[in-house]
Amino acid sequence: MKCEGKVWKFGDDIDTDLIIPARFLNVSDEKSLAENCFADVRPGFAQNIGPGDIIVAGRNFGCGSSREHAPIAIKGVGISMVIAKSFARIFYRNAFNIGLPIVESEAAVDVISEGDWVSVDLEAGTLKTENDSESFVIQAIPAFMREIIRAGGLVDYVKQRGLK
């Protein structure tokens, strides 16, 4: 399982209200949420994302309320994964529940810049910058969690297996 794309860089303490402002929470479908992803901190963000682009952020990404709308908006806009120094615990769980891959790497975040191109192999646990100029070892995502991501999230994973 690999992700690669252009980097969109954010700082520390990006809360769920910055990811998807509360005034847009009257819907829950992915497309509508995606249209307003980061609307207040990066107007036009949704219109500038390329398929597979990656968010790189500082500490405590996804702090704030426990809404699943935040990772849904990020996934819906076309972001293939989020790399951060650390994640708020509830965001971490919600991201996997909706099938959005996330990884932590302090070292990588410190050297990756806005606009860089990165590739991540979630099974091998590697992260490489453009032209393999920098390479990092990241914690590989466990196989069962990769299966949840491949299925599109926890609900689809359960449905595909006929579980109740």
Side-chain angles (χ1 to χ4, degrees):
M1 178 176 258
K2 297 178 182 177
C3 299
E4 64 177 23
K6 183 176 99 174
V7 168
W8 297 85
K9 188 110 182 225
F10 291 86
D12 294 336
D13 302 313
I14 300 299
D15 67 32
T16 54
D17 287 323
L18 293 175
I19 297 168
I20 184 71
R23 68 184 177 279
F24 300 116
L25 298 180
N26 57 344
V27 297
S28 59
D29 71 283
E30 189 174 85
K31 184 179 180 195
S32 295
L33 292 170
E35 291 171 359
N36 297 295
C37 191
F38 293 107
D40 291 342
V41 291
R42 289 221 176 154
F45 179 79
Q47 293 73 36
N48 293 306
I49 296 298
D53 283 358
I54 294 172
I55 289 175
V56 175
R59 297 185 190 288
N60 203 26
F61 187 86
C63 58
S65 66
S66 61
R67 64 180 70 132
E68 281 188 333
H69 296 76
I72 291 170
I74 290 170
K75 183 180 174 188
V77 80
I79 295 293
S80 65
M81 76 174 321
V82 180
I83 303 163
K85 287 186 177 184
S86 66
F87 292 93
R89 192 180 83 163
I90 194 78
F91 181 89
Y92 185 92
R93 188 65 211 162
N94 283 340
F96 282 104
N97 282 349
I98 62 97
L100 175 67
I102 60 175
V103 296
E104 293 180 345
S105 176
E106 279 203 39
V109 170
D110 285 340
V111 301
I112 295 171
S113 299
E114 175 96 13
D116 286 355
W117 188 268
V118 297
S119 62
V120 180
D121 186 324
L122 297 170
E123 194 167 340
T126 58
L127 185 157
K128 296 179 180 183
T129 59
E130 195 167 11
N131 302 320
D132 297 331
S133 62
E134 301 255 10
S135 183
F136 302 90
V137 175
I138 57 172
Q139 184 173 354
I141 294 176
F144 79 94
M145 291 176 82
R146 289 193 312 270
E147 289 302 316
I148 291 170
I149 293 167
R150 277 191 195 99
L154 186 59
V155 171
D156 289 333
Y157 175 84
V158 169
K159 285 179 183 176
Q160 290 172 12
R161 280 156 185 72
L163 304 172
K164 294 181 182 189

